[in-house]
Amino acid sequence: MVMSDPRHTGTLAYVTIYNNDGSLSGACGNGTRCVADRLARETGADSLVVETAAGLIACERLGPWTYRVDMGAPRLGWHEIPLAYAVADTRKVDVPLDGADFGPASVVDMGNPHAVFFVGEVAAIDLARWGPRYETHPLFPEKANISFAEVKARDRSQCASGSAASARPSPAAPPPARRWFRPRGSG
């Protein structure tokens, strides 16, 4: 992540976010919390806004090492995520790979594309094998953050943008307006 001078009044920095392969990412919840921590300590602000390629992200300091970030409204349309082709329901998307059967993924954009597979036991999945293969699947022209989610508690999370993607409601529920996340036990 690279912090630069703000481009808009009312923000403290413009943040350029790089993926580990050098490509650009629109947003990163965990990274934004780290940037918020540095800016809050430098300025004394408890609330601040940073700019990213995905837009403005509001951050709030809740304690010495605890921040809440507003990842904004999820983008749920196949063309907004984006996907390579139209799908009827982005909550249940088949992403076929030879040798894999994790069921449909829920796909959403929280500043960058995410695909979440809800599974019975994450520990049983070879993440190093399947994550990269799904990340670069032809369905995702901009790649995708891949999550395998095992629901154990509905109030805990570590990755803000991934948590926002994983918190997407079931097909029977209406889409959320916004997702705010305050992970427990993380800085």
Side-chain angles (χ1 to χ4, degrees):
M1 299 183 81
V2 177
M3 284 194 300
S4 306
D5 290 336
R7 297 180 181 177
H8 295 92
T9 304
T11 64
L12 291 183
Y14 184 88
V15 181
T16 304
I17 303 164
Y18 293 94
N19 292 312
N20 64 354
D21 66 359
S23 62
L24 292 173
S25 178
C28 174
N30 271 341
T32 301
R33 285 200 319 262
C34 294
V35 167
D37 179 66
R38 177 165 180 175
L39 292 172
R41 291 178 191 285
E42 288 177 356
T43 66
D46 287 329
S47 294
L48 56 102
V49 178
V50 297
E51 304 169 66
T52 70
L56 304 180
I57 299 179
C59 309
E60 181 182 3
R61 186 177 189 170
L62 302 175
W65 298 103
T66 307
Y67 292 81
R68 175 170 53 193
V69 297
D70 179 357
M71 295 306 298
R75 286 160 292 287
L76 306 173
W78 71 268
H79 58 286
E80 297 172 300
I81 293 169
L83 300 178
Y85 52 83
V87 297
D89 186 351
T90 58
R91 293 171 293 186
K92 297 184 298 185
V93 177
D94 289 322
V95 189
L97 274 180
D98 287 339
D101 186 18
F102 301 113
S106 177
V107 295
V108 60
D109 186 292
M110 294 303 307
N112 53 337
H114 285 74
V116 181
F117 293 90
F118 290 93
V119 297
E121 187 178 354
V122 170
I125 297 170
D126 184 349
L127 302 176
R129 176 181 181 196
W130 296 112
R133 291 185 64 197
Y134 278 113
E135 175 190 29
T136 58
H137 191 281
L139 178 63
F140 307 113
E142 296 179 5
K143 295 195 202 178
N145 285 5
I146 305 301
S147 298
F148 293 92
E150 175 185 349
V151 179
K152 290 186 174 185
R154 297 193 178 272
D155 65 344
R156 294 185 179 234
S157 164
Q158 291 295 25
C159 175
S161 61
S163 298
S166 297
R168 186 163 186 204
S170 72
R178 298 188 92 65
R179 288 287 187 212
W180 280 86
F181 284 91
R182 187 184 105 210
R184 292 186 180 176
S186 62

